Amino acid sequence: MVIIPLVTTSLLFFFFFFSSVTVAKTHRFVQSIPPSSLGLHQPQKLSHLHFFFHDVVGGRNQTAVRVAAAPTTDKSSTLFGAVVMMDDPLTELPDADSTVVGRAQGIYASASTTELGFLMAMNFAFTQGKYNGSSLAVLGRNTVESAVREMPVVGGSGLFRFARGYAQAKTHSMIMWEAVVEYDVYVLHY
C-alpha cells in the first residue's frame, strides 16, 4: 500500500517537472490577431488587369537570359532543363514603345519533355497608377503553344496583399527574339 502513493507522487512530480520544462521552452512565435488589424474587415475587391508582356531573349535589348541548362537541353526539341531569368517590361499596348506599367520579374524553366511547357515563377511588379509599388505573384504551368494558358495568382504585396486569382496568357506575336504575350489577370484582394 505504500508503493501506490509513492508511484502516484513520482508520477505527479514528473508531470509537473516536464510540463514546466515544456512551458519554459515554448516560444511565442505564433499568436492570433483579429483580421481587422490588417484591414481585412472590408469586403474583397475583384480587379481585372490587362497588359502586354515583352520577353526578349536575344539582341540589343535582351530582357531574358538563360542562366542554367542540362547537358542535353540543346538536343531537346522542348529545351527541357533550360532555366531563364527575366526582367520583362509590361506595357499598356502590344507596342514595346507604349506606356510601361510594370515589370515581370522571375524565372521560367522548360519543364516538359513532350511539349514547350514552362514552370513560371514570377512577380508582376507594377510601377504606374494606383498599383504603383504593388505586386502579384504568379506560379504555374505555361504551355506556350496553347492558345490560352491559365496560371494561378498565389499572392501579392502592397494593395494586393492576400491576393488570389488567375492570369490568362495569350501569345500576341513572336518575331525574331521577342515574344509579346497578352495578359488578363483577375484577382481578389482587399
Side-chain angles (χ1 to χ4, degrees):
M1 292 204 181
V2 173
I3 295 176
I4 293 175
L6 183 60
V7 169
T8 305
T9 306
S10 295
L11 285 174
L12 285 173
F13 169 77
F14 282 114
F15 172 76
F16 286 117
F17 175 76
F18 284 113
S19 67
S20 66
V21 168
T22 304
V23 170
K25 289 187 176 183
T26 301
H27 301 284
R28 293 190 51 113
F29 71 95
V30 176
Q31 71 182 72
S32 296
I33 59 171
S36 61
S37 70
L38 295 175
L40 300 180
H41 57 279
Q42 46 193 286
Q44 287 187 309
K45 302 172 196 137
L46 175 62
S47 294
H48 171 225
L49 294 91
H50 182 260
F51 49 81
F52 293 84
F53 166 109
H54 298 263
D55 192 51
V56 183
V57 297
R60 274 191 359 216
N61 300 318
Q62 190 170 355
T63 62
V65 178
R66 185 159 82 172
V67 295
T72 57
T73 294
D74 291 330
K75 296 174 191 159
S76 167
S77 62
T78 64
L79 297 174
F80 180 67
V83 179
V84 177
M85 184 66 66
M86 67 176 163
D87 182 14
D88 294 340
L90 304 175
T91 61
E92 280 187 347
L93 301 171
D95 181 10
D97 293 329
S98 72
T99 303
V100 174
V101 298
R103 310 289 298 185
Q105 297 170 327
I107 62 171
Y108 56 90
S110 181
S112 175
T113 60
T114 58
E115 63 184 329
L116 196 54
F118 295 135
L119 163 65
M120 305 286 291
M122 65 182 163
N123 289 312
F124 292 139
F126 298 102
T127 57
Q128 293 292 319
K130 176 181 177 180
Y131 298 114
N132 182 18
S134 298
S135 67
L136 290 171
V138 176
L139 175 66
R141 184 170 187 254
N142 183 353
T143 52
V144 177
E145 294 170 339
S146 298
V148 178
R149 290 88 71 190
E150 188 172 295
M151 293 168 278
V153 172
V154 297
S157 68
L159 293 178
F160 290 121
R161 285 187 193 126
F162 296 102
R164 66 186 190 282
Y166 66 97
Q168 286 185 326
K170 294 176 253 176
T171 301
H172 180 270
S173 63
M174 259 200 221
I175 302 170
M176 285 290 287
W177 301 106
E178 182 177 5
V180 178
V181 181
E182 181 176 9
Y183 272 88
D184 282 293
V185 181
Y186 300 90
V187 63
L188 283 168
H189 60 100
Y190 288 94

